[in-house]
């Protein structure tokens, strides 16, 4: 019975809103509630256990949920876990009535066939989705027969990083119903000894938790347990819904008597370094702040508020300046000035008077700030023993001056020349975060997203606090020559107070007796070298607490750190180097069972290697940018639909043109993609543009750089690659892969065209009865992934790949009460729009899914750039 359930294992996609941050409210009521306690719609989740073992900052977490279907028909059971973005899933198993379906980590390409199969059957579009600020959501739904029991078990691992003096572990708690046995159990083992430990839940005060929460620590061990009884879970004494809904956070720190700690197990070592009590190195900070028109309103107020708070914290020995950029660049002072009380007072006045205006010239803003720092160094106008940082804040893409991301990056890289770090803060979602991140990483800094929310000012301030206190600069961790292999990153431009440097590697000789490491850095007053010597015998004694050591944890910690650093380096690598980094990261991900952006978790039915399902796909870098994947398509009487995830809404428009006309849908000069579509009419050849129906009958998809083109008609599919031509019919089911291109034809349904990781199109075939007097076959075109396309992409669909904003107001009823009218402000135009709906046929070509949208009249006038005639091109390819 249970084994026959296999085909029903479906992979569900959850839409999660990111901008709202962590849902903290426990007011969400369950829609369906059964009379029986702890049972919702016949499904009883009788046990949920989160078990965490942390050894030397390396966390190994197992989430186990057990449920039974008490209904008399088969029911769907969902298992949702939110885990930190920085974690890697390492295992997932499903047990139905005692039969276990184990998970395996496979290379993404290998798992892709099943994935595409599932996509074409409308079952999945990915399973791990970005969710909230720090979390990703893992979701599986399984159809369970009446009376059957099911157990889900998910394992993930992560290296906890030290921020502002503590390690923090987030556990998202959201059982959605009362659970008889609900338990969080955390065991922490830290060889340096634990100095503080705390645990709290966002959904209830610790007082009210009473006996449900216990926390203790002593010596090297810490323990946290949270075990609310059924009554303690109720949102009110007589309620049947759970108040457990929010974050459960465990924070701790370790003793810092010694600046460093080295641990060695089975030939792998890890070296933690966080000296205390050093004076802060004076710094010169240049704030490069976007004051363009889009910052108007709350964002500007929050930025000013944060800058004022930051000014309160600036130390007198520091130097600073403000560079404001919009279309132009203005500065507070011509040069960096010292943070004397008078100057700080003046700076406050300056900040209070900042006004938003105009466009976004990131390039000139950054270059001005960088040249100011360079000049200060050349002229020795900042202290010799000081350090410099550039903090840039923007809420949008460059749109004036030099606006090509690659060129800005090059300019900035050349100007900084590796001398100081650049930190990029991306405010909100309407920006190219990948660009900000890539630019920061190649200049030894990092990017941070500032979420548009009521606490944005605190996020900005919090970031400043992290980098406010450099204790050392030019930090290098050195080991005796030839003693160490496979070392992770061992040079850092800064060591900031409250953080920690972690280096891991492998011993060349497993049986060496002692181990020596030097950490060199420049302090505020002098240069320092910290030497750490380890006696192997003592080490063994110290790590004897076998209960707390999960297997080869240092080796796994090393692998985790290595993969993380390879993936980061890969973001800025090109060509062979990128391939090499990818290959190395993939090898390690497979060897150590980590679901990274290069691998997938596949669940296999026992003794059936053919029947696999892709169960966990970590989103690639770009997926973090916008957690709800936007999509764009054109289908039916050419109806264009633009889904805007930030708004949880869609815009649609129609283009009415003569049959035979070819329209440009996508054109990207950077990646070389073009997609054009040719319009056909119906069989009557109705010349009246008011009443006639038109469709796309032919599509051309081409990439000049990759030297291929594909022509799709309602009859056949022709692929040209270099000079070779292949032709397929809609009756074929076939997958063609070559040079990063994959083309899958699903007989009489659709075609999925994928280019590497980041561009996927689906063409849907609509077939009508051959002898229908009026209608004929036509095509629909869907862009399901466009994140690798450049910001210069244009065309009727392509122009919407960049994030854009619209506002709808004044909704009022029209002649048809089901189709209200409204005013839409978009791209600086005020338009009258009408509520309507279109169908999305990606999943089911015969029925389709309804998509509500705001219809823009007159061939999309005011919404599309220019007029629709601008998009007419002479031929398909
Ligand atoms: C995954 O979890 C299952 C169940 O706990 C276990 O039997 C299996 O060994 C684990 N696999 C790996 C690779 O750790
Ligand atoms: C990557 O390059 C390094 C040296 O350039 C080489 O030793 C290594 O084998 C390469 N790795 C892979 C997986 O190709």
């Amino acid at each position: 019975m249970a084994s026959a359930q296999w085909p029903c294992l479906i992979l569900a996609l959850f839409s999660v809103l990111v901008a709202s941050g962590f849902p903290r409210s426990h007011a969400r009521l369950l829609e369906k509630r059964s009379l029986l306690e702890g049972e919702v719609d016949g499904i009883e989740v009788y046990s949920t256990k989160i078990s965490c073992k942390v050894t030397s900052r390396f966390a190994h977490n197992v989430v186990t949920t057990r449920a039974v279907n008490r209904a008399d028909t088969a029911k769907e059971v969902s298992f949702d876990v939110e885990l930190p973005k920085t974690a890697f899933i390492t295992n997932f198993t499903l047990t139905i009535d005692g039969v276990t379906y184990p998970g395996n980590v496979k290379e993404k390409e290998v798992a892709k066939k099943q994935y595409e199969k599932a996509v074409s059957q409308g079952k999945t579009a990915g399973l791990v989705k970005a969710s909230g600020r720090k979390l990703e959501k893992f979701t599986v739904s399984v159809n369970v027969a009446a009376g059957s029991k099911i157990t889900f078990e998910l394992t993930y691992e992560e290296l906890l990083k030290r921020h502002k003096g503590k390690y923090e572990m987030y556990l998202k708690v959201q059982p959605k119903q009362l659970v008889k046995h609900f338990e969080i159990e955390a065991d922490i083992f830290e060889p340096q000894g634990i100095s503080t430990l705390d645990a709290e839940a966002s959904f209830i005060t610790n007082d009210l938790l009473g006996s449900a929460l216990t926390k203790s620590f002593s010596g090297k061990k810490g323990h946290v347990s949270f075990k609310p009884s059924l009554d303690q879970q109720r949102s009110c004494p007589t309620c049947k819904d759970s108040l457990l809904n929010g974050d459960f956070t465990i924070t701790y720190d370790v003793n810092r008597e010694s600046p460093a700690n080295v641990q060695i197990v089975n030939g792998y070592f890890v070296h933690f370094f966080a000296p205390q009590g050093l004076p802060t190195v004076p710094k010169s900070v240049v704030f490069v702040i976007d004051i363009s028109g889009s910052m108007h309103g709350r964002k500007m107020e929050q930025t000013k508020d944060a800058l004022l708070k930051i000014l309160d914290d600036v130390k007198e020995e520091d130097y600073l300046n403000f560079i404001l950029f919009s279309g132009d660049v203005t500065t507070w002072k011509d040069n960096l000035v010292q943070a004397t009380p008078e100057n700080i007072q003046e700076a406050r006045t300056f900040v209070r008077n900042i006004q938003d205006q105009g466009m976004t010239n990131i390039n000139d803003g950054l270059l001005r700030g960088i040249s100011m720092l360079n000049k200060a160094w050349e002229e020795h106008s900042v202290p010799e023993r000081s350090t410099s940082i550039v903090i840039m804040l923007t809420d949008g893409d460059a749109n004036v001056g030099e606006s090509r991301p690659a060129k800005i990056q090059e300019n900035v890289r050349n100007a900084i020349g590796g001398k100081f770090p650049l930190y990029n803060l991306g405010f909100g979602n309407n920006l190219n975060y990948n660009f900000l991140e890539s630019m920061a990483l190649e200049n030894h800094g990092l990017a941070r997203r500032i979420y548009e929310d009521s606490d944005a000012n605190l996020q900005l301030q919090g970031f400043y606090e992290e980098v406010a206190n450099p204790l050392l600069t030019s930090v290098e961790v050195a080991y005796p020559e030839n003693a160490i292999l496979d070392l992770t990153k061992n040079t850092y431009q800064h060591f900031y107070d409250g953080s920690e440097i972690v280096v891991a590697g492998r011993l060349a000789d497993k049986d060496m007796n002692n181990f020596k490491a030097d950490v060199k850095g420049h302090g505020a007053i002098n240069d320092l070298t910290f030497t750490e010597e380890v006696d192997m015998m003592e080490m063994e004694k110290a790590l004897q607490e076998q209960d707390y050591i999960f297997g080869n944890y240092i080796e796994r910690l090393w692998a985790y750190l290595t993969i993380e650093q390879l993936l980061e380096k890969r973001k800025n690598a090109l060509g062979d180097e990128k391939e090499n980094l990818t290959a190395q990261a993939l090898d390690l991900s497979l060897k150590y069972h980590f679901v990274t952006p290069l691998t997938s978790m596949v669940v296999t039915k026992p003794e059936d290697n053919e029947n696999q399902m892709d169960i966990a796909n970590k989103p690639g870098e770009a997926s973090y940018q916008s957690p709800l994947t936007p999509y764009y398509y054109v289908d039916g009487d050419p109806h264009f639909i633009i889904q805007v995830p930030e708004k949880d809404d869609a815009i649609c428009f129609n283009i009415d043109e003569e049959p035979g006309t070819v329209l440009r849908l996508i054109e990207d000069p950077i990646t070389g993609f073009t997609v054009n579509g040719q319009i056909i009419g119906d069989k009557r050849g109705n010349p009246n543009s008011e009443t006639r129906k038109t469709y796309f009958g032919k599509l051309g998809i081409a990439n000049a750089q990759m030297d291929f083109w594909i022509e799709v008609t309602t009859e056949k599919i022709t692929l040209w690659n270099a000079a070779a031509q292949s032709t397929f019919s809609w009756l074929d089911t076939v997958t063609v892969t070559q040079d990063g291109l994959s083309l899958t034809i699903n007989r009489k349904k659709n075609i999925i065209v994928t280019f590497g990781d980041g561009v996927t199109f689906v063409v849907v075939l609509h077939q009508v009865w051959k002898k229908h007097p009026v209608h004929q076959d036509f095509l629909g075109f869907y862009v399901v992934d466009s994140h690798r396309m450049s910001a210069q992409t244009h065309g009727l669909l392509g122009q919407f790949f960049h994030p854009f904003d619209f506002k709808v107001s004044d909704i009022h009823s029209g002649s048809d009460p089901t189709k209200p009218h409204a005013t839409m402000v978009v791209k600086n135009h005020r338009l009258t729009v009408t509520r309507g709906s279109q169908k999305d046929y990606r999943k089911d070509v015969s029925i389709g899914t309804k998509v509500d949208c705001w219809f823009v009249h007159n061939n999309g006038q005011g919404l599309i750039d220019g007029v629709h005639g601008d998009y007419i091109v002479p031929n398909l390819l």
Side-chain angles (χ1 to χ4, degrees):
M1 203 171 52
S3 53
Q5 292 299 317
W6 182 256
C8 298
L9 174 65
I10 67 154
L11 312 175
L13 169 70
F14 271 67
S15 320
V16 194
L17 271 178
V18 71
S20 57
F22 299 116
R24 282 175 190 277
S25 132
H26 50 81
R28 215 183 97 187
L29 290 172
L30 297 159
E31 282 158 26
K32 294 178 202 160
R33 202 180 303 147
S34 102
L35 294 172
L36 266 174
E37 199 152 276
E39 201 182 299
V40 174
D41 203 17
I43 302 295
E44 183 195 352
V45 174
Y46 58 93
S47 158
T48 290
K49 176 161 184 173
I50 306 176
S51 149
C52 317
K53 280 195 190 311
V54 184
T55 305
S56 297
R57 296 61 152 167
F58 196 62
H60 175 90
N61 298 343
V62 183
V63 184
T64 311
T65 287
R66 298 171 202 276
V68 55
N69 179 5
R70 299 210 186 278
D72 48 15
T73 55
K75 292 271 172 187
E76 195 170 282
V77 185
S78 295
F79 174 68
D80 302 336
V81 177
E82 287 187 56
L83 59 147
K85 286 176 183 173
T86 45
F88 293 144
I89 290 173
T90 63
N91 200 358
F92 175 72
T93 60
L94 193 62
T95 306
I96 305 175
D97 289 336
V99 182
T100 298
Y101 303 84
N104 273 304
V105 176
K106 299 240 163 128
E107 183 180 356
K108 256 210 178 129
E109 288 301 316
V110 174
K112 206 161 183 173
K113 255 198 211 131
Q114 282 84 30
Y115 180 65
E116 282 174 354
K117 196 166 107 199
V119 170
S120 69
Q121 292 166 353
K123 285 187 176 167
T124 177
L127 261 180
V128 183
K129 303 290 292 177
S131 155
R133 293 180 186 173
K134 296 183 179 174
L135 302 172
E136 269 167 19
K137 186 165 186 142
F138 171 86
T139 303
V140 173
S141 300
V142 179
N143 217 17
V144 178
S148 284
K149 281 190 174 180
I150 183 160
T151 303
F152 300 93
E153 186 186 285
L154 178 76
T155 309
Y156 64 91
E157 293 180 340
E158 130 186 73
L159 179 64
L160 304 177
K161 295 204 171 63
R162 190 165 180 254
H163 282 296
K164 296 192 214 166
K166 58 193 183 197
Y167 306 98
E168 206 166 42
M169 186 154 72
Y170 278 101
L171 301 167
K172 183 60 156 241
V173 173
Q174 203 174 16
K176 296 183 192 145
Q177 57 175 270
L178 301 177
V179 178
K180 213 177 280 166
H181 304 287
F182 183 91
E183 184 178 3
I184 295 174
E185 196 84 48
D187 284 303
I188 302 169
F189 177 75
E190 287 290 347
Q192 285 159 282
I194 294 173
S195 62
T196 61
L197 176 108
D198 198 10
E200 58 182 40
S202 66
F203 41 88
I204 189 168
T205 62
N206 283 6
D207 299 349
L208 288 172
L209 283 174
S211 58
L213 177 68
T214 61
K215 48 191 178 184
S216 62
F217 68 96
S218 145
K220 297 173 183 170
K221 297 176 190 172
H223 182 78
V224 174
S225 157
F226 175 52
K227 232 181 195 170
S229 66
L230 272 178
D231 281 343
Q232 284 170 320
Q233 292 176 37
R234 288 178 209 282
S235 61
C236 75
T238 54
C239 293
K240 292 198 172 70
D241 58 326
S242 177
L243 65 73
L244 308 187
N245 184 356
D247 316 317
F248 188 83
T249 315
I250 299 174
T251 50
Y252 74 93
D253 198 17
V254 304
N255 288 327
R256 302 276 162 200
E257 280 124 35
S258 157
N261 179 261
V262 174
Q263 293 164 39
I264 306 173
V265 172
N266 292 339
Y268 283 84
F269 78 91
V270 60
H271 183 172
F272 300 104
F273 177 74
Q276 305 291 292
L278 298 174
T280 301
V281 177
K283 60 188 183 304
S284 26
V285 190
V286 172
F287 294 94
V288 181
I289 307 292
D290 183 346
I291 56 159
S292 65
S294 58
M295 288 284 289
H296 181 73
R298 185 166 80 158
K299 279 195 271 187
M300 196 73 248
E301 290 313 311
Q302 288 176 322
T303 302
K304 284 157 78 166
D305 184 46
L307 291 175
L308 291 171
K309 295 270 170 39
I310 288 170
L311 283 171
D312 291 343
D313 294 341
V314 173
K315 296 188 186 60
E316 191 161 351
E317 68 265 28
D318 289 348
Y319 283 68
L320 79 161
N321 202 351
F322 293 101
I323 316 286
L324 309 181
F325 67 91
S326 52
D328 307 316
V329 178
T330 53
T331 63
W332 170 43
K333 296 282 185 189
D334 295 336
N335 295 299
L336 284 153
V337 296
Q338 198 178 347
T340 58
E342 303 76 56
N343 282 338
I344 291 291
Q345 197 49 40
E346 202 184 312
R348 284 199 187 98
T349 310
F350 174 78
V351 167
R352 283 196 195 101
N353 290 326
I354 293 175
Q355 300 277 344
D356 59 86
Q357 52 169 26
M359 314 274 282
T360 308
N361 190 338
I362 291 178
N363 185 69
D364 291 357
L366 273 173
L367 293 183
R368 181 77 67 87
I370 295 162
S371 74
M372 199 174 279
L373 275 175
N374 283 335
K375 182 159 158 264
W377 279 100
E378 279 157 23
E379 293 175 354
H380 303 282
S381 57
V382 288
E384 201 55 42
R385 276 200 170 272
S386 72
T387 186
S388 302
I389 60 179
V390 179
I391 300 178
M392 195 267 284
L393 170 80
T394 182
D395 77 331
D397 293 338
N399 56 18
V400 64
E402 179 54 73
S403 61
R404 290 169 295 176
K407 190 67 190 166
I408 300 176
Q409 267 182 257
E410 184 188 326
N411 293 344
V412 167
R413 189 170 57 233
N414 291 339
I416 293 185
K419 293 189 292 289
F420 37 82
L422 167 67
Y423 297 104
N424 284 331
L425 305 180
F427 202 161
N429 273 320
N430 278 337
L431 42 76
N432 182 347
Y433 189 75
N434 283 356
F435 156 64
L436 296 183
E437 183 176 41
S438 166
M439 179 159 63
L441 288 175
E442 68 180 5
N443 292 294
H444 306 287
L446 53 84
R448 198 54 80 73
R449 194 185 274 291
I450 303 296
Y451 294 86
E452 251 185 278
D453 209 337
S454 55
D455 68 343
N457 48 349
L458 299 178
Q459 298 173 52
L460 281 165
Q461 231 179 298
F463 174 77
Y464 181 76
E465 277 168 31
E466 281 179 43
V467 299
N469 296 305
L471 301 186
L472 291 172
T473 66
S474 307
V475 183
E476 190 189 345
V477 190
Y479 302 92
E481 242 172 79
N482 306 325
I484 301 298
L485 303 167
D486 301 331
L487 197 62
T488 60
K489 182 174 168 177
N490 67 329
T491 57
Y492 289 84
Q493 280 205 334
H494 289 111
F495 166 72
Y496 291 111
D497 196 17
S499 71
E500 180 173 65
I501 287 176
V502 184
V503 182
R506 197 154 65 83
L507 305 184
D509 172 12
K510 240 177 131 168
D511 302 317
M512 63 204 279
N513 297 325
N514 59 45
F515 178 94
K516 184 169 160 296
D518 287 330
V519 185
K520 295 178 198 153
H522 303 303
I525 301 158
N526 38 34
D527 292 352
L528 299 148
T529 300
F530 299 84
T531 300
E532 186 71 12
E533 274 191 83
V534 180
D535 182 303
M536 297 303 235
M537 299 290 273
E538 276 177 31
M539 166 77 56
E540 263 175 40
K541 247 191 273 161
L543 295 176
Q544 255 167 12
E545 321 270 347
Q546 287 300 328
D547 289 356
Y548 285 85
I549 309 283
F550 52 89
N552 46 353
Y553 78 96
I554 294 186
E555 184 173 347
R556 293 194 68 81
L557 187 162
W558 164 82
Y560 173 98
L561 204 56
T562 306
I563 293 171
E564 193 180 53
Q565 294 176 355
L566 287 168
L567 292 173
E568 194 168 287
K569 249 197 225 161
R570 179 175 172 265
K571 286 181 188 163
N572 276 330
L574 293 167
D576 286 352
E577 195 199 350
K578 183 161 186 154
E579 275 179 29
N580 183 302
L581 293 169
T582 306
Q584 290 182 50
L586 176 63
D587 280 356
L588 288 173
S589 305
L590 292 172
K591 180 164 179 210
Y592 291 95
H593 278 258
F594 287 127
V595 178
T596 66
L598 305 173
T599 50
S600 294
M601 175 75 73
V602 171
V603 169
T604 317
K605 188 178 172 186
E607 296 112 41
D608 183 357
N609 283 320
E610 294 304 303
N611 206 345
Q612 299 179 333
M613 274 288 186
D614 205 10
I615 208 103
N617 270 289
K618 197 174 180 63
E621 303 96 72
S623 311
Y624 293 122
Q625 191 182 334
S626 176
L628 284 173
T629 319
Y631 65 91
Y632 319 89
Y633 68 87
V634 47
D635 205 343
D637 180 7
H639 284 298
F640 290 76
I641 315 285
I642 314 299
Q643 227 269 329
V644 185
E646 293 84 7
K647 298 270 168 194
D648 196 17
D649 207 344
I651 302 184
C652 46
F653 59 96
N654 208 347
I655 298 287
D656 188 45
E657 262 302 333
E658 294 296 322
T661 309
V662 179
L663 294 173
R664 174 134 296 169
L665 304 180
I666 297 174
E667 180 174 34
D668 180 2
I670 306 296
T671 59
F673 282 104
T674 45
V675 179
N676 296 327
Q678 184 167 41
I679 289 177
I680 53 171
D682 58 30
K683 287 180 183 161
R684 291 173 304 194
N686 184 349
N688 182 349
S689 72
E690 291 293 309
T691 55
R692 77 175 165 209
K693 295 262 179 210
T694 55
Y695 305 93
F696 280 111
K698 247 188 207 181
L699 288 164
I701 302 172
N703 188 314
Q705 290 170 18
M706 292 168 73
D707 200 13
F708 78 81
W709 46 293
I710 302 169
E711 185 184 275
V712 186
T713 69
T714 54
E715 305 288 324
K716 61 180 201 257
I717 299 104
T718 314
L719 167 70
W720 286 265
N721 196 280
Q725 176 186 337
S726 336
T727 302
F728 306 94
S729 124
W730 273 107
L731 297 177
D732 293 323
T733 292
V734 61
T735 297
V736 185
T737 42
Q738 56 188 62
D739 307 335
L741 160 74
S742 147
L743 170 79
T744 300
I745 302 172
N746 293 301
R747 179 184 157 89
K748 292 194 186 175
K749 271 196 200 129
N750 60 26
I751 304 172
I752 301 169
V753 193
T754 301
F755 304 92
D757 184 12
V759 178
T760 300
F761 304 134
V762 177
V763 180
V764 173
L765 174 67
H766 293 270
Q767 282 188 312
V768 299
W769 177 45
K770 283 273 169 273
K771 293 189 179 143
H772 193 286
V774 178
H775 297 306
Q776 55 179 333
D777 296 352
F778 65 97
L779 303 171
F781 176 75
Y782 294 75
V783 180
V784 291
D785 188 354
S786 60
H787 78 255
R788 283 289 144 88
M789 293 221 204
S790 84
Q792 290 176 48
T793 308
H794 213 260
L796 282 168
L797 286 175
Q799 64 186 288
F800 298 103
F801 295 176
H802 336 299
F804 76 107
D805 197 14
F806 68 89
K807 284 200 176 58
V808 173
S809 58
D810 183 29
I811 301 175
H812 56 275
S813 57
S815 48
D816 179 347
T818 63
K819 294 180 177 169
H821 297 300
T823 303
M824 175 185 287
V825 177
V826 62
K827 293 189 176 172
N828 293 328
H829 295 283
R830 181 174 289 271
L831 312 171
T832 298
V833 293
T834 305
R835 196 63 173 166
S837 71
Q838 299 299 332
K839 284 207 167 173
D840 175 349
Y841 293 99
R842 233 175 343 154
K843 296 178 179 169
D844 185 331
V845 72
S846 52
I847 307 168
T849 315
K850 198 171 136 204
V851 179
D852 290 321
C853 57
W854 289 108
F855 184 79
V856 178
H857 300 267
N858 301 331
N859 291 312
Q861 202 177 335
L863 169 68
I864 60 172
D865 295 337
V867 294
H868 82 280
D870 299 346
Y871 299 87
I872 296 176
V873 291
N875 33 45
L876 199 61
L877 291 159

